[in-house]
Amino acid sequence: MPSKPDEDDDAALFRQAIGPVKPLPESALPPARPKPRPRAGMAELDERAALGEFQRGLADLSVLAAGDTLSYRRELVPPAVFQRLKRGRFSAQDELDLHGATILQAESMLRQFLAEAHDHEFGCVRIIHGKGLRDGGSMPPLKNLVDRVLRQRADVLAFHSAPAAQGGTGAVLVLLARR
């Protein structure tokens, strides 16, 4: 029989109370959880930003009437620059007149014109779409086409109907991004 432990030795009293112990067999550690797959966080943010801008562009699309003003500005264009564009303070480096063109012809001409303007690194161009008063209806088709195409293009930073001396609501000044 083991000797009587000292009354003050708590550890010895505990060992006496529980009796002999045997160690547990060693076991392997539980398997670690698999690490999550890496995500392209910046790409997701870019996609969300692009989708947000696209949806804002769609929300802005409404049928324009003959006298309505075309106006659009990307967030990266400072308001002061946009004000200069609205006032016609930018010199148009090239011009496209869509008078007399069908919708399909006008869209093709417009896309080709913008691509060439971008290739020549023009900063500002003027597009004459007409007011649509001769069409008989209240919706000018060329004006609405120009509005839709310009909003979809990544190289278009901003646009606004020209001042009265430069064509008024029958023309639009377009600010283009440089390469």
Side-chain angles (χ1 to χ4, degrees):
M1 186 158 171
S3 65
K4 203 161 187 171
D6 186 6
E7 299 277 311
D8 295 331
D9 188 9
D10 290 337
L13 282 172
F14 178 75
R15 280 192 295 276
Q16 183 184 9
I18 62 167
V21 294
K22 43 179 176 169
L24 293 174
E26 290 208 22
S27 64
L29 292 174
R33 279 190 184 162
K35 290 184 179 178
R37 289 180 38 171
R39 291 182 16 222
M42 291 305 289
E44 288 176 5
L45 288 174
D46 288 346
E47 286 294 320
R48 259 189 251 129
L51 181 61
E53 188 161 321
F54 177 72
Q55 287 174 335
R56 275 193 305 280
L58 287 180
D60 291 342
L61 286 181
S62 57
V63 177
L64 298 164
D68 289 348
T69 300
L70 294 181
S71 187
Y72 175 78
R73 175 181 71 94
R74 290 194 190 277
E75 291 179 11
L76 61 98
V77 176
V81 172
F82 189 61
Q83 286 299 319
R84 286 182 55 213
L85 180 70
K86 285 170 74 169
R87 292 183 180 127
R89 301 267 166 83
F90 285 97
S91 175
Q93 295 167 294
D94 203 359
E95 183 175 275
L96 172 67
D97 190 345
L98 297 174
H99 278 111
T102 66
I103 293 290
L104 291 175
Q105 291 170 336
E107 184 170 6
S108 175
M109 290 167 59
L110 179 57
R111 290 185 189 282
Q112 183 178 354
F113 173 74
L114 291 171
E116 289 173 5
H118 188 69
D119 289 343
H120 288 94
E121 295 192 19
F122 291 154
C124 181
V125 295
R126 181 177 23 255
I127 300 167
I128 302 169
H129 49 73
K131 295 185 181 181
L133 298 175
R134 293 189 190 144
D135 296 332
S138 62
M139 183 201 79
L142 292 179
K143 183 177 198 170
N144 282 282
L145 169 78
V146 169
D147 183 57
R148 180 179 51 83
V149 170
L150 292 179
R151 287 175 190 272
Q152 292 173 351
R153 292 192 56 105
D155 57 347
V156 173
L157 297 175
F159 61 85
H160 195 277
S161 289
Q166 296 181 33
T169 58
V172 63
L173 294 174
V174 182
L175 195 62
L176 298 171
R178 303 281 173 132
R179 281 190 231 190

